[in-house]
């Protein structure tokens, strides 16, 4: 039997507090937003990438890092994914424009996924990102 | 005060079981190995990427996905990172050759990081990976 929360795949002897630490210390930005698009987890790499400290964004809308022009399309897709429990971006990397706290443009290689609870209900959505700004600008300059 | 396990950065109201679910359901491969290089967490995306189901690799050495020729260099770097508590790959993406269960070559964009407990002691190392095989082979063909 598969355990919906992944206990089968993650060593049962591990201190549960370590999973919080894995999320927080992961070498990539991990953002969890709830069904309302409110940020519920924002790890260290997210602080480094976007410039916002976690207390500045926990409880805030994802809009803080979404360029204004892209918000409407973002939320349309977000709500569609929540309703269906699936993202059309599964298995893909999306290089997406985002906003740093200081206002400058970032380009981020994002992977998106849904987060489900033990009963299979969609709790929210996850974004895992790596900074792609340098590569993106170099590629654009080379075109 | 900063909480070493990241409670400051991750919503305190979240069910702690959700952090296990975030690791397991993350849209990228997340592997945790302990100080001995033994695999302690292997999420769904790791199963999809490398072909090994978690029960096949939990408790096994990372060698299962490391090409034989690269193992010596891998473990030298691994032990150096554990001893210093830092990885020289911080903030970088390393495209690395890896082995699928069926024997075929994979190329994986890895980010590496250390995992520390609340006291700051190094518990192990994390690898976060995305499949880069298609891109790598296309780039090589284009050269």
């Amino acid at each position: 039997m598969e355990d919906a929360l992944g206990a089968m795949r993650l060593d049962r002897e591990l201190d549960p507090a370590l999973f919080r630490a894995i999320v927080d210390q992961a070498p990539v930005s991990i953002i969890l937003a709830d069904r309302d698009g409110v940020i519920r987890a924002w790890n260290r790499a997210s602080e480094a990438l976007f410039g916002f400290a976690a207390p500045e964004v926990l409880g805030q809308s994802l809009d803080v890092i979404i360029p204004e022009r892209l918000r409407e399309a973002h939320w349309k897709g977000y709500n569609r994914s929540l309703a269906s429990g699936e993202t059309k971006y599964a298995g893909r990397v999306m290089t997406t424009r985002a906003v740093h706290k200081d206002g400058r443009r970032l380009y981020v290689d994002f992977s998106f996924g849904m987060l489900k609870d033990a009963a299979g209900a969609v709790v929210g959505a996850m974004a895992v990102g790596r900074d792609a700004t340098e590569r993106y600008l170099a590629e654009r300059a080379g075109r």
Side-chain angles (χ1 to χ4, degrees), chain A residues 96-111:
Chain A
T96 306
R97 191 146 73 80
V99 182
H100 188 277
K101 183 185 178 182
D102 69 12
R104 77 187 141 90
R105 282 189 189 192
L106 296 172
Y107 293 89
V108 180
D109 283 342
F110 272 122
S111 302

Side-chain angles (χ1 to χ4, degrees), chain A residues 52-112:
Chain A
F52 291 100
E56 296 179 281
V57 294
L58 286 178
Q60 304 296 315
S61 162
L62 283 170
D63 280 343
V64 291
I65 57 165
I66 303 172
E68 205 169 326
R69 293 193 321 145
L70 303 181
R71 286 180 193 164
E72 191 180 333
H74 167 84
W75 291 113
K76 204 177 280 185
Y78 194 89
N79 292 326
R80 200 187 302 121
S81 295
L82 282 180
S84 69
E86 288 171 21
T87 163
K88 63 177 181 175
Y89 303 115
R92 290 162 61 189
V93 178
M94 299 288 298
T95 306
T96 306
R97 191 146 73 80
V99 182
H100 188 277
K101 183 185 178 182
D102 69 12
R104 77 187 141 90
R105 282 189 189 192
L106 296 172
Y107 293 89
V108 180
D109 283 342
F110 272 122
S111 302
F112 300 107

